[in-house]
Amino acid sequence: MKRIKLIWFTVLMLFAGPSVVTAQQTASDEAAEKIKAIQIQYLTKKLELTPEEAQKFLPVYNNYTKEVEQLIAEHRDKKDQDHLTPDEAGKKNMDKELNYQKRMLDIRSRYSTEFQKVLPGRKAGMVFKSEREFRNIMVIHLNNQRMNRMGQGGGPNKRRP
């Protein structure tokens, strides 16, 4: 009898497991798309882009974000299974981090030039700063949401009972 229950449980998990994972990935992908749309809206407003400027800028910016996301994903996924001493591992990690930062700087430098080709200098110069501001706003917003979910409120003026 226990064996039959175990088989049924296994069969149910085989069918239910992938759908749960897929639902979580879909929700996560939808959230990421919403955030990207809000970010584009924020940048368009912050940079005061005209419709013509936005039409030229957005494809370049989308390419930039794809390259950055790809680099971040590579950086996050790289895991060496080498058997190194702690000192060797530390040196290797430092080298990897410096290489990652150099590649990120290369991408940003290249796209800085590309942004200057499609936007006036003042607006092109504000892209990275505006992007950083957006990230800071999102971090604050997500932290406030987390605090509210935990029942602790999010504001400094909230009184505790």
Side-chain angles (χ1 to χ4, degrees):
M1 189 66 169
K2 287 182 183 179
R3 204 165 204 194
I4 293 173
K5 286 182 182 180
L6 179 63
I7 292 171
W8 274 109
F9 179 75
T10 305
V11 169
L12 284 173
M13 290 308 295
L14 286 173
F15 288 114
S19 63
V20 170
V21 171
T22 302
Q24 288 174 346
Q25 286 176 338
T26 302
S28 161
D29 291 344
E30 287 175 11
E33 289 302 316
K34 283 181 184 178
I35 290 171
K36 283 182 184 179
I38 293 168
Q39 182 179 22
I40 294 296
Q41 185 180 18
Y42 178 85
L43 288 173
T44 301
K45 185 175 181 179
K46 186 75 177 180
L47 298 174
E48 299 173 348
L49 299 179
T50 65
E52 296 80 22
E53 289 171 337
Q55 189 176 12
K56 293 177 184 175
F57 169 73
L58 293 177
V60 176
Y61 185 76
N62 287 335
N63 289 337
Y64 159 73
T65 57
K66 283 179 188 172
E67 283 192 45
V68 167
E69 288 169 0
Q70 184 178 5
L71 178 61
I72 291 170
E74 281 177 30
H75 183 65
R76 196 176 291 143
D77 290 342
K78 282 189 177 178
K79 293 178 184 164
D80 284 333
Q81 301 299 329
D82 298 340
H83 299 287
L84 303 173
T85 67
D87 286 341
E88 291 170 335
K91 182 181 179 331
K92 193 168 191 171
N93 286 337
M94 185 186 305
D95 291 343
K96 283 182 187 177
E97 184 63 27
L98 288 173
N99 184 46
Y100 165 76
Q101 289 179 8
K102 181 185 179 307
R103 288 178 59 195
M104 183 66 77
L105 182 59
D106 291 344
I107 291 170
R108 290 172 58 96
S109 295
R110 186 165 25 94
Y111 277 95
S112 175
T113 304
E114 294 298 317
F115 295 147
Q116 291 174 40
K117 290 178 183 177
V118 296
L119 293 176
R122 179 184 64 81
K123 292 180 182 183
M126 291 175 52
V127 172
F128 295 130
K129 181 182 179 207
S130 299
E131 186 181 47
R132 193 170 41 254
E133 288 172 359
F134 178 79
R135 274 196 308 272
N136 289 338
I137 290 168
M138 287 304 298
V139 166
I140 290 167
H141 177 73
L142 292 172
N143 284 337
N144 286 339
Q145 277 188 333
R146 185 178 306 126
M147 293 298 284
N148 287 333
R149 274 196 310 267
M150 291 173 42
Q152 299 189 12
N157 298 327
K158 175 141 178 149
R159 293 185 190 181
R160 293 197 170 162

